Amino acid sequence: MSNAPNIPVLMYHHVSPCGGMIAVTPEVFEQQIAGLARAGYTALGTEQFAQYLAGGSVPEKSVLITFDDGYLNNWTYAHPILQRYGMKAILFLITGWAGEGEVRPHAGQGKPVPRSPDHHESKRLVAEGRTDEVMLRWSEVRAMIEAGTFEVHSHTHTHTRWDKECGPDVAAKRSHIAKELADSRAALVRELGGVSDHLCWPQGYFDADYVEAAREAGFKYLYTTDALGQNLPGTDPEHIYRFAVRNLGGSWLNRRIWMSRHPVIGPRYHAWKAWKRRIRNRA
């Protein structure tokens, strides 16, 4: 088995018929997953990914598919598509937003599927305390794990940016972050029987205090929203690069992965994107 040159990590949030911000439609998601399958890509689990970063071997064409937050549409729409193509994804779950109750129907079962609001309405409903309308229940999380379509890891407990909430009070910020991570770990142990050392930052933000808190809480693999780099053997597991997947077909995603993973073109592409960002920020 020849080893992968690097591992592109894909970032999703919603798979929803209404599309919109940080969402792909079920039709597009199926095109993307089918395109990966046809191209011979293997969707890794976190254990394989961690072994690769430590110098181990994985299939030459490997990717990591990640979802953030834990929206209900990950179950109703993403799960059956992943299952159909034998693909696995990684869910970073906001543990304090997961609810109780029975498993709801998903697409393909011939039953009415719960509605799937866009991202802005989903955020509004969560703020109003109506999380069950848009977020996963623990029963659905367990069903996805049992089906082999998702692994589940921490995305903190409340998705709060404590650097913003606490302002200059660094001691309060550190205390809240530590509790946030402890609460998330406790929820995963209580509901799923265990917790891993993989953590995804809320809103992609982190600083030295966040990283130190993650280390103290037992997290080793820290996932960012930084797209401008490659995940290579020996690279820093506390800074895992991911790129956001757009609502475009499978051919777009395969081209984007090819750009990201190419050992020569990839670094140049990321440098060009970083240059464009600097120019845009100066304007």
Side-chain angles (χ1 to χ4, degrees), residues 93 138 141-142 145 152-153 186-195:
L93 180 67
W138 286 108
V141 172
R142 286 188 284 269
I145 293 171
V152 179
H153 306 274
L188 290 167
V189 170
R190 181 181 67 249
E191 299 291 344
L192 305 181
V195 62

Side-chain angles (χ1 to χ4, degrees), residues 84-161:
R84 190 148 54 242
Y85 293 92
M87 290 285 190
K88 173 188 286 189
I90 311 305
L91 172 61
F92 293 110
L93 180 67
I94 303 168
T95 51
W97 293 4
E100 301 297 333
E102 296 180 354
V103 173
R104 290 163 285 192
H106 64 65
Q109 292 182 317
K111 300 176 182 178
V113 175
R115 76 184 190 98
S116 181
D118 67 16
H119 185 64
H120 293 295
E121 186 178 355
S122 296
K123 288 177 66 178
R124 178 180 63 79
L125 291 170
V126 168
E128 292 175 358
R130 297 165 61 184
T131 53
D132 190 57
E133 296 180 38
V134 292
M135 305 305 295
L136 289 164
R137 295 173 177 172
W138 286 108
S139 59
E140 293 154 351
V141 172
R142 286 188 284 269
M144 296 192 300
I145 293 171
E146 289 167 9
T149 52
F150 280 89
E151 294 181 11
V152 179
H153 306 274
S154 177
H155 196 30
T156 73
H157 195 60
T158 68
H159 204 253
T160 303
R161 281 278 304 274

Side-chain angles (χ1 to χ4, degrees), residues 78-265:
H79 158 75
I81 292 170
L82 291 166
Q83 192 169 42
R84 190 148 54 242
Y85 293 92
M87 290 285 190
K88 173 188 286 189
I90 311 305
L91 172 61
F92 293 110
L93 180 67
I94 303 168
T95 51
W97 293 4
E100 301 297 333
E102 296 180 354
V103 173
R104 290 163 285 192
H106 64 65
Q109 292 182 317
K111 300 176 182 178
V113 175
R115 76 184 190 98
S116 181
D118 67 16
H119 185 64
H120 293 295
E121 186 178 355
S122 296
K123 288 177 66 178
R124 178 180 63 79
L125 291 170
V126 168
E128 292 175 358
R130 297 165 61 184
T131 53
D132 190 57
E133 296 180 38
V134 292
M135 305 305 295
L136 289 164
R137 295 173 177 172
W138 286 108
S139 59
E140 293 154 351
V141 172
R142 286 188 284 269
M144 296 192 300
I145 293 171
E146 289 167 9
T149 52
F150 280 89
E151 294 181 11
V152 179
H153 306 274
S154 177
H155 196 30
T156 73
H157 195 60
T158 68
H159 204 253
T160 303
R161 281 278 304 274
W162 290 109
D163 56 297
K164 288 184 175 181
E165 294 293 322
C166 298
D169 191 340
V170 175
K173 179 183 88 167
R174 290 174 176 169
S175 175
H176 280 295
I177 295 169
K179 185 176 188 306
E180 185 88 30
L181 298 179
D183 288 348
S184 178
R185 291 182 69 91
L188 290 167
V189 170
R190 181 181 67 249
E191 299 291 344
L192 305 181
V195 62
S196 77
D197 50 4
H198 294 254
L199 169 71
C200 180
W201 297 120
Q203 304 173 44
Y205 179 82
F206 61 95
D207 59 22
D209 292 323
Y210 279 80
V211 173
E212 183 60 31
R215 290 173 185 156
E216 291 176 356
F219 293 106
K220 181 178 178 181
Y221 300 92
L222 308 180
Y223 293 74
T224 74
T225 56
D226 181 0
L228 304 182
Q230 294 179 320
N231 302 301
L232 301 156
T235 54
D236 185 4
E238 293 183 346
H239 193 111
I240 293 167
Y241 296 96
R242 299 189 300 162
F243 70 83
V245 179
R246 298 166 62 186
N247 190 33
L248 298 169
S251 59
W252 172 85
L253 180 57
N254 281 11
R255 287 195 303 272
R256 179 66 179 83
I257 289 172
W258 183 86
M259 293 282 285
S260 177
R261 73 193 294 269
H262 195 282
V264 176
I265 295 173

